[in-house]
Short mmCIF file of all heavy atoms in Angstrom, two decimals:
data_model
loop_
_atom_site.label_atom_id
_atom_site.label_comp_id
_atom_site.label_asym_id
_atom_site.label_seq_id
_atom_site.Cartn_x
_atom_site.Cartn_y
_atom_site.Cartn_z
N GLY A 45 83.02 102.32 115.20
CA GLY A 45 81.71 101.69 115.13
C GLY A 45 80.52 102.61 115.32
O GLY A 45 79.38 102.17 115.21
N THR A 46 80.74 103.89 115.58
CA THR A 46 79.65 104.84 115.79
C THR A 46 79.61 105.83 114.63
O THR A 46 80.65 106.39 114.27
CB THR A 46 79.86 105.63 117.11
OG1 THR A 46 79.95 104.69 118.18
CG2 THR A 46 78.72 106.58 117.37
N GLU A 47 78.42 106.04 114.06
CA GLU A 47 78.29 107.01 112.97
C GLU A 47 78.64 108.40 113.46
O GLU A 47 78.33 108.77 114.59
CB GLU A 47 76.87 107.00 112.38
CG GLU A 47 76.90 106.34 111.04
CD GLU A 47 75.65 106.53 110.22
OE1 GLU A 47 75.27 107.66 109.92
OE2 GLU A 47 75.08 105.49 109.90
N VAL A 48 79.32 109.16 112.59
CA VAL A 48 79.80 110.49 112.97
C VAL A 48 79.29 111.56 112.03
O VAL A 48 78.82 111.28 110.93
CB VAL A 48 81.35 110.52 112.99
CG1 VAL A 48 81.90 109.66 114.10
CG2 VAL A 48 81.92 110.10 111.65
N ARG A 49 79.42 112.80 112.51
CA ARG A 49 79.14 113.99 111.69
C ARG A 49 80.48 114.62 111.33
O ARG A 49 81.50 114.36 111.97
CB ARG A 49 78.30 114.99 112.47
CG ARG A 49 76.94 114.45 112.86
CD ARG A 49 76.27 115.42 113.78
NE ARG A 49 77.22 115.64 114.90
CZ ARG A 49 76.94 116.25 116.01
NH1 ARG A 49 75.75 116.75 116.20
NH2 ARG A 49 77.83 116.40 116.96
N ALA A 50 80.47 115.53 110.36
CA ALA A 50 81.70 116.18 109.90
C ALA A 50 82.41 116.92 111.04
O ALA A 50 83.63 116.97 111.09
CB ALA A 50 81.39 117.14 108.76
N SER A 51 81.65 117.49 111.95
CA SER A 51 82.25 118.31 113.02
C SER A 51 82.73 117.51 114.23
O SER A 51 83.39 118.08 115.11
CB SER A 51 81.24 119.36 113.47
OG SER A 51 80.09 118.73 114.00
N ASP A 52 82.44 116.21 114.28
CA ASP A 52 82.93 115.39 115.38
C ASP A 52 84.46 115.33 115.32
O ASP A 52 85.06 115.56 114.27
CB ASP A 52 82.34 113.98 115.33
CG ASP A 52 80.85 113.95 115.64
OD1 ASP A 52 80.35 114.90 116.26
OD2 ASP A 52 80.20 112.96 115.26
N ARG A 53 85.08 115.01 116.44
CA ARG A 53 86.55 114.97 116.53
C ARG A 53 87.05 113.53 116.58
O ARG A 53 86.37 112.64 117.10
CB ARG A 53 87.02 115.70 117.79
CG ARG A 53 86.59 117.15 117.86
CD ARG A 53 87.36 117.99 116.90
NE ARG A 53 86.85 119.37 116.87
CZ ARG A 53 87.54 120.36 116.37
NH1 ARG A 53 88.74 120.16 115.86
NH2 ARG A 53 87.04 121.57 116.35
N VAL A 54 88.23 113.32 115.99
CA VAL A 54 88.84 111.99 115.98
C VAL A 54 89.91 111.90 117.06
O VAL A 54 90.44 112.92 117.50
CB VAL A 54 89.46 111.65 114.60
CG1 VAL A 54 88.41 111.65 113.52
CG2 VAL A 54 90.61 112.59 114.26
N ALA A 55 90.20 110.69 117.47
CA ALA A 55 91.28 110.44 118.43
C ALA A 55 92.31 109.53 117.77
O ALA A 55 91.95 108.63 116.99
CB ALA A 55 90.73 109.77 119.69
N ALA A 56 93.57 109.78 118.04
CA ALA A 56 94.64 108.94 117.49
C ALA A 56 94.38 107.49 117.83
O ALA A 56 93.98 107.16 118.95
CB ALA A 56 95.98 109.39 118.04
N GLY A 57 94.56 106.61 116.85
CA GLY A 57 94.39 105.18 117.06
C GLY A 57 92.99 104.67 116.80
O GLY A 57 92.77 103.47 116.74
N SER A 58 92.02 105.57 116.66
CA SER A 58 90.63 105.15 116.38
C SER A 58 90.53 104.58 114.98
O SER A 58 91.32 104.92 114.09
CB SER A 58 89.68 106.34 116.51
OG SER A 58 89.65 106.81 117.83
N LEU A 59 89.52 103.72 114.77
CA LEU A 59 89.26 103.17 113.44
C LEU A 59 88.19 103.99 112.75
O LEU A 59 87.07 104.13 113.24
CB LEU A 59 88.82 101.72 113.53
CG LEU A 59 89.90 100.71 113.84
CD1 LEU A 59 89.30 99.31 113.90
CD2 LEU A 59 91.02 100.76 112.82
N LEU A 60 88.55 104.52 111.59
CA LEU A 60 87.67 105.33 110.77
C LEU A 60 87.28 104.50 109.56
O LEU A 60 88.15 104.04 108.82
CB LEU A 60 88.43 106.59 110.35
CG LEU A 60 87.70 107.75 109.77
CD1 LEU A 60 86.64 108.28 110.73
CD2 LEU A 60 88.67 108.86 109.43
N VAL A 61 85.98 104.26 109.36
CA VAL A 61 85.50 103.45 108.24
C VAL A 61 84.60 104.33 107.38
O VAL A 61 83.65 104.94 107.89
CB VAL A 61 84.72 102.21 108.72
CG1 VAL A 61 84.22 101.39 107.54
CG2 VAL A 61 85.58 101.36 109.64
N SER A 62 84.92 104.40 106.08
CA SER A 62 84.14 105.25 105.17
C SER A 62 83.88 104.51 103.87
O SER A 62 84.55 103.52 103.56
CB SER A 62 84.90 106.54 104.87
OG SER A 62 85.99 106.29 104.01
N PRO A 63 82.91 105.01 103.08
CA PRO A 63 82.75 104.46 101.74
C PRO A 63 84.03 104.74 100.95
O PRO A 63 84.72 105.73 101.20
CB PRO A 63 81.58 105.25 101.15
CG PRO A 63 80.87 105.84 102.32
CD PRO A 63 81.92 106.05 103.37
N GLU A 64 84.32 103.88 100.01
CA GLU A 64 85.48 104.09 99.15
C GLU A 64 85.21 105.31 98.27
O GLU A 64 84.14 105.42 97.67
CB GLU A 64 85.71 102.86 98.29
CG GLU A 64 86.99 102.88 97.50
CD GLU A 64 87.22 101.55 96.83
OE1 GLU A 64 87.65 100.61 97.52
OE2 GLU A 64 86.96 101.46 95.62
N PRO A 65 86.15 106.24 98.17
CA PRO A 65 85.91 107.42 97.33
C PRO A 65 85.77 107.02 95.87
O PRO A 65 86.42 106.08 95.41
CB PRO A 65 87.14 108.29 97.54
CG PRO A 65 88.05 107.57 98.45
CD PRO A 65 87.42 106.28 98.83
N ARG A 66 84.92 107.74 95.18
CA ARG A 66 84.74 107.48 93.74
C ARG A 66 85.94 108.02 92.98
O ARG A 66 86.57 108.98 93.39
CB ARG A 66 83.47 108.17 93.25
CG ARG A 66 82.23 107.57 93.82
CD ARG A 66 81.00 108.31 93.29
NE ARG A 66 79.81 107.85 93.95
CZ ARG A 66 79.36 108.28 95.12
NH1 ARG A 66 80.00 109.21 95.76
NH2 ARG A 66 78.26 107.80 95.64
N GLU A 67 86.18 107.42 91.83
CA GLU A 67 87.25 107.90 90.97
C GLU A 67 86.88 109.28 90.44
O GLU A 67 85.74 109.53 90.04
CB GLU A 67 87.43 106.96 89.77
CG GLU A 67 88.02 105.62 90.13
CD GLU A 67 89.50 105.70 90.46
OE1 GLU A 67 90.22 106.49 89.85
OE2 GLU A 67 89.92 104.97 91.38
N ALA A 68 87.84 110.16 90.45
CA ALA A 68 87.61 111.50 89.89
C ALA A 68 87.55 111.40 88.38
O ALA A 68 88.26 110.60 87.76
CB ALA A 68 88.73 112.43 90.31
N VAL A 69 86.69 112.17 87.80
CA VAL A 69 86.59 112.21 86.34
C VAL A 69 87.73 113.08 85.83
O VAL A 69 87.90 114.22 86.27
CB VAL A 69 85.23 112.80 85.91
CG1 VAL A 69 85.17 112.94 84.40
CG2 VAL A 69 84.10 111.93 86.42
N ALA A 70 88.50 112.53 84.92
CA ALA A 70 89.62 113.30 84.36
C ALA A 70 89.08 114.29 83.34
O ALA A 70 88.41 113.92 82.38
CB ALA A 70 90.61 112.35 83.69
N LEU A 71 89.36 115.54 83.58
CA LEU A 71 88.95 116.59 82.66
C LEU A 71 90.13 116.95 81.77
O LEU A 71 91.25 117.10 82.24
CB LEU A 71 88.48 117.82 83.43
CG LEU A 71 87.31 117.62 84.37
CD1 LEU A 71 86.98 118.91 85.10
CD2 LEU A 71 86.09 117.14 83.61
N ARG A 72 89.85 117.07 80.49
CA ARG A 72 90.90 117.42 79.55
C ARG A 72 90.47 118.68 78.79
O ARG A 72 89.33 118.79 78.36
CB ARG A 72 91.14 116.28 78.57
CG ARG A 72 91.77 115.06 79.22
CD ARG A 72 92.04 113.98 78.19
NE ARG A 72 90.83 113.31 77.74
CZ ARG A 72 90.24 112.28 78.36
NH1 ARG A 72 90.75 111.82 79.45
NH2 ARG A 72 89.17 111.73 77.88
#
Side-chain angles (χ1 to χ4, degrees):
T46 303
E47 253 192 60
V48 292
R49 298 172 305 191
S51 62
D52 291 340
R53 302 287 174 163
V54 299
S58 296
L59 285 180
L60 194 59
V61 179
S62 73
E64 188 172 282
R66 292 180 187 84
E67 290 287 324
V69 176
L71 300 178
R72 291 182 287 275

